[in-house]
Amino acid sequence: MIEAAAPTYFRLYVWERPVRAFHWVNATAVLALAITGFVIGNPFRMAYAAEAYQQNWFGTVRFVHFAAGWIFLVAFVARIYWGFVGDQYARWRHYIPHTRWQWREIVEVLRIDIFQTKVSGEFSSGHNALAGLTYSVSFLVYAFQIATGFALYASMSDAWVPSLFVWVVPLFGGDAGVRFWHHAAMWFFILFTMIHVYLVFYHDYVEGRGTTSSMVGGWKFARVDTLTAPDQSDEACEPDEPAESG
Amino acid sequence: MAKPDASIWRLMESKGYSRREFVHFCRFAAITAGVGVAGLPRVVEAFQSRPRPPVVWLHFQECTCCSESFIRSSHPVVADVLFDYLSLDYTETLQAAAGHQAEAALHDTMRNHPGEYILLVEGSVPLGNDGVYCTIGGRTAQDILAEAAEDAAAVIAWGSCASNGCVQNASPNPTGATPIHKLIGRPVINVPGCPPIADVMTAVVTHLLVMGSMPELDNRGRPREFYGKRVHDTCYRRPFYDAGLFVESWDDEGAREGYCLYKMGCRGPVTYNACSVTRWNEGTSYPIQSGHGCIGCSEDDFWDNGPFYRHLPDVPGFGIESTADKVGAAAAVAAGAGLALHAIVTNVRKQSEIHKRIAGSVQETEIGEGGDD
């Protein structure tokens, strides 16, 4: 009744330690930034004191936002660096579609996963080409958020880095315009997070390759018999060790 | 009366002022211009050797609030500089001459003092329909500005109209109102505000007089000395902001206590101006001190960044009363619905796929017999 031979799985080490570290530092920073940013944009009533010297909660919220912004910036720069020195799954090539094969995979992902006009098929073990492209776009939004955020921050800081972004302000007419777009761009992160988490669960559920846990341990799994789409990176994808049997 | 091109010292002398009074006056000018008492010798030198510069003050699309503000300079000494000691050769609002006489005065100044006169421009310049929306003596504002700016020693844009277009420039900008720095190919000192603070205006002119050069400008052409800080940075209500004590509605306890107006749409945190330092009307007050938020009148597009009483502006293209958050929340709800739909479709379409995987899964009891090795 059931196909006799149990499938053989390979363990693939797809997310190196710096990649995982970036992911969680970034996730934490984004969470902190979004929550504090929301509060800064629309502070709630918290007047348990009558005099200003008796409390400083709004100042604290802003401090957390700025501190998280710095962490976000450093993580962003570090991740871009790793995109040039990391392994094949972390390399920039994985994120920018520049080969026919990658564009074909994007179409395939749309057919199989998004619109589901095709039922079965599996993709590259790291990010598939569409996911890679999505992350590239999201990095542009990160850059936008860093530029607008630090441009606003420049007026209250003497530090060198924020002063690099003062040229941003005239592009938006003034701080009011920068503030508006900085605030509006936050919604990208909210939508991104919703869709990102959903798709992680989706892939784990449909494919059973350990997508969710891969960002903790770094491992994904690939069935030998369905490992049809070889990674077209310059370094060949060598599944290094067979699955442990028990 | 001294000759029109005599120095300020000659002029004062002819009016009977003593040398001591002259130096005292120079000290005021030095402080106003931001060079401090240490810069006094420079001021004395400039005021006794340099002929007082002729000034041409042009009025285009504007409401004259800049002029109104200017004549209320709180330093009488500084006002004197401008009305007695500058040679104000042409200004529609204040000059006695009219018609052809006035036009003649303008042309005489431009012809006789090329490279010497200071050009002050109040108002924006309409470019729509070949500039017919603002003409003086049969010529368009654009024409007059181009001619006057060519040989000016320095050009100052008075107020938001001339600096960033102000209300005429607000969407949809029917007359094509344009700030002057976009029309002339030379540096312009932007002194925005609707109107600018009188003391800031006099100080900028005094700086030109004393130093003979432009004050240090920021990347939007504004003098750093007065536009380098936000209204928020030196606001006396700032401690309430850091404490998170906000006015929630116009008649609540917080409003009576003088809490921060941030939630009432105060534009202080995004507005660069000296209001909270110099204040208005001889240092009497400024909007926030009067209990009303800043509307950001010295910032570009401040009319388009409304409503004034809300923290964030409306989203263009989404109708009235839609903030970025409402649009964003709607997008999030739509995305959530899309994801839920996708999850349902997945379970239907991929049912066999998923079942196949589950069926193909190794049973614990099988390990050792058919397992991989």
Side-chain angles (χ1 to χ4, degrees):
Chain A
M1 344 186 290
I2 300 168
E3 291 164 70
T8 303
Y9 279 87
F10 282 146
R11 250 161 73 128
L12 301 175
Y13 189 58
V14 284
W15 311 132
E16 294 172 288
R17 212 172 288 173
V19 173
R20 274 139 54 207
F22 163 76
H23 177 273
W24 292 113
V25 169
N26 192 51
T28 311
V30 167
L31 185 69
L33 283 163
I35 292 171
T36 54
F38 233 117
V39 173
I40 292 167
N42 189 18
F44 42 81
R45 188 194 300 246
M46 197 148 99
Y48 55 79
E51 294 296 336
Y53 68 84
Q54 291 167 309
Q55 63 186 33
N56 189 44
W57 76 266
F58 199 58
T60 306
V61 167
R62 290 174 64 249
F63 170 77
V64 171
H65 191 80
F66 301 143
W70 277 106
I71 292 168
F72 182 74
L73 171 70
V74 172
F76 177 73
V77 172
R79 182 62 184 84
I80 287 175
Y81 168 74
W82 201 252
F84 290 94
V85 301
D87 72 5
Q88 53 155 325
Y89 301 109
R91 289 262 169 159
W92 66 270
R93 291 169 182 284
H94 218 71
Y95 297 82
I96 298 168
H98 62 288
T99 62
R100 285 176 70 87
W101 180 84
Q102 281 171 310
W103 286 109
R104 259 208 317 277
E105 191 180 57
I106 288 176
V107 173
E108 281 293 286
V109 173
L110 287 173
R111 287 176 64 194
I112 295 169
D113 288 328
I114 309 302
F115 300 113
Q116 303 192 355
T117 53
K118 201 173 153 189
V119 169
S120 54
E122 277 182 18
F123 303 107
S124 314
S125 300
H127 297 306
N128 66 52
L130 182 62
L133 177 61
T134 308
Y135 293 125
S136 296
V137 172
S138 71
F139 263 52
L140 294 179
V141 182
Y142 287 15
F144 177 86
Q145 209 64 335
I146 287 167
T148 51
F150 276 91
L152 287 171
Y153 187 56
S155 63
M156 30 188 140
S157 166
D158 293 326
W160 170 71
V161 171
S163 72
L164 296 177
F165 294 98
V166 291
W167 57 272
V168 171
V169 175
L171 303 181
F172 293 89
D175 279 15
V178 179
R179 176 163 81 179
F180 173 79
W181 285 108
H182 187 70
H183 187 103
M186 174 198 62
W187 283 98
F188 170 86
F189 290 82
I190 293 170
L191 292 175
F192 178 91
T193 306
M194 287 171 65
I195 296 169
H196 171 74
V197 172
Y198 170 80
L199 284 176
V200 168
F201 290 178
Y202 164 87
H203 281 287
D204 211 339
Y205 175 59
V206 171
E207 297 170 356
R209 298 176 60 187
T211 312
T212 311
S213 66
S214 70
M215 202 38 85
V216 178
W219 300 99
K220 273 193 186 176
F221 303 91
R223 263 167 66 164
V224 175
D225 56 331
T226 58
L227 196 62
T228 48
D231 284 281
Q232 300 292 295
S233 331
D234 35 7
E235 299 144 68
C237 164
E238 279 300 329
D240 38 16
E241 51 181 283
E244 290 148 24
S245 46
Chain B
M1 210 42 204
K3 292 202 306 266
D5 55 354
S7 70
I8 288 170
W9 163 233
R10 288 280 158 238
L11 190 77
M12 290 182 80
E13 204 180 19
S14 72
K15 285 191 169 180
Y17 286 103
S18 70
R19 180 73 182 173
R20 178 178 291 273
E21 285 163 326
F22 168 70
V23 172
H24 185 67
F25 162 75
C26 288
R27 187 178 293 134
F28 268 104
I31 290 163
T32 308
V35 295
V37 179
L40 184 59
R42 267 173 99 170
V43 181
V44 172
E45 174 62 24
F47 282 6
Q48 69 185 5
S49 60
R50 233 181 275 155
R52 57 192 189 130
V55 171
V56 169
W57 186 317
L58 297 177
H59 297 252
F60 298 134
Q61 280 184 307
E62 44 93 342
C63 70
T64 318
C65 75
C66 302
S67 299
E68 288 288 345
S69 172
F70 188 65
I71 60 178
R72 282 163 184 75
S73 297
S74 60
H75 267 299
V77 184
V78 176
D80 282 352
V81 172
L82 295 151
F83 293 110
D84 292 346
Y85 310 130
L86 281 176
S87 171
L88 196 54
D89 291 2
Y90 182 85
T91 171
E92 283 99 339
T93 315
L94 299 170
Q95 67 194 352
H100 292 299
Q101 270 184 315
E103 295 305 304
L106 175 61
H107 289 118
D108 286 349
T109 305
M110 292 195 288
R111 202 174 45 241
N112 299 335
H113 300 279
E116 290 171 16
Y117 62 91
I118 298 172
L119 177 64
L120 313 176
V121 184
E122 189 175 343
S124 58
V125 173
L127 299 185
N129 284 337
D130 295 328
V132 295
Y133 299 112
C134 181
T135 64
I136 300 161
R139 298 176 63 202
T140 64
Q142 194 184 359
D143 239 21
I144 298 169
L145 175 68
E147 188 188 0
E150 198 171 0
D151 288 325
V155 183
I156 300 179
W158 275 159
S160 289
C161 297
S163 302
N164 58 49
C166 204
V167 68
Q168 308 84 281
N169 179 263
S171 177
N173 191 2
T175 64
T178 309
I180 67 162
H181 64 86
K182 291 190 179 164
L183 297 172
I184 56 180
R186 55 178 300 166
V188 173
I189 305 170
N190 285 328
V191 186
C194 190
I197 303 165
D199 301 305
V200 169
M201 299 171 82
T202 50
V204 172
V205 173
T206 309
H207 187 104
L208 277 177
L209 272 179
V210 170
M211 311 296 284
S213 64
M214 304 223 288
E216 192 194 350
L217 306 179
D218 66 8
N219 64 355
R220 286 149 80 191
R222 305 168 302 191
R224 262 185 212 285
E225 191 184 349
F226 306 106
Y227 296 91
K229 287 276 176 200
R230 301 173 300 167
V231 170
H232 190 57
D233 292 324
T234 47
C235 182
Y236 80 104
R237 296 196 186 199
R238 177 60 190 262
F240 292 110
Y241 173 82
D242 292 323
L245 294 169
F246 300 106
V247 176
E248 307 277 341
S249 73
W250 289 116
D251 53 359
D252 71 356
E253 184 58 27
R256 281 188 286 278
E257 294 281 344
Y259 286 174
C260 175
L261 294 161
Y262 181 71
K263 289 181 79 173
M264 304 310 291
C266 179
R267 299 288 192 265
V270 289
T271 303
Y272 292 79
N273 209 335
C275 299
S276 46
V277 178
T278 66
R279 312 204 177 183
W280 290 74
N281 301 321
E282 302 187 25
T284 306
S285 182
Y286 70 115
I288 295 166
Q289 195 174 343
S290 312
H292 188 286
C294 166
I295 63 170
C297 77
S298 58
E299 288 291 314
D300 291 20
D301 306 327
F302 76 99
W303 288 102
D304 289 329
N305 285 334
F308 291 146
Y309 301 105
R310 228 166 36 205
H311 179 67
L312 283 176
D314 282 334
V315 183
F318 283 89
I320 300 165
E321 297 281 313
S322 66
T323 60
D325 285 339
K326 284 184 191 161
V327 175
V333 169
L339 296 178
L341 183 68
H342 191 269
I344 294 166
V345 170
T346 298
N347 277 300
V348 175
R349 293 276 300 160
K350 305 229 174 194
Q351 196 179 28
S352 61
E353 183 86 348
I354 294 162
H355 282 177
K356 208 164 73 194
R357 295 240 162 93
I358 294 171
S361 157
V362 181
Q363 301 296 307
E364 218 172 343
T365 50
E366 295 175 53
I367 296 175
E369 312 155 19
D372 55 319
D373 216 83

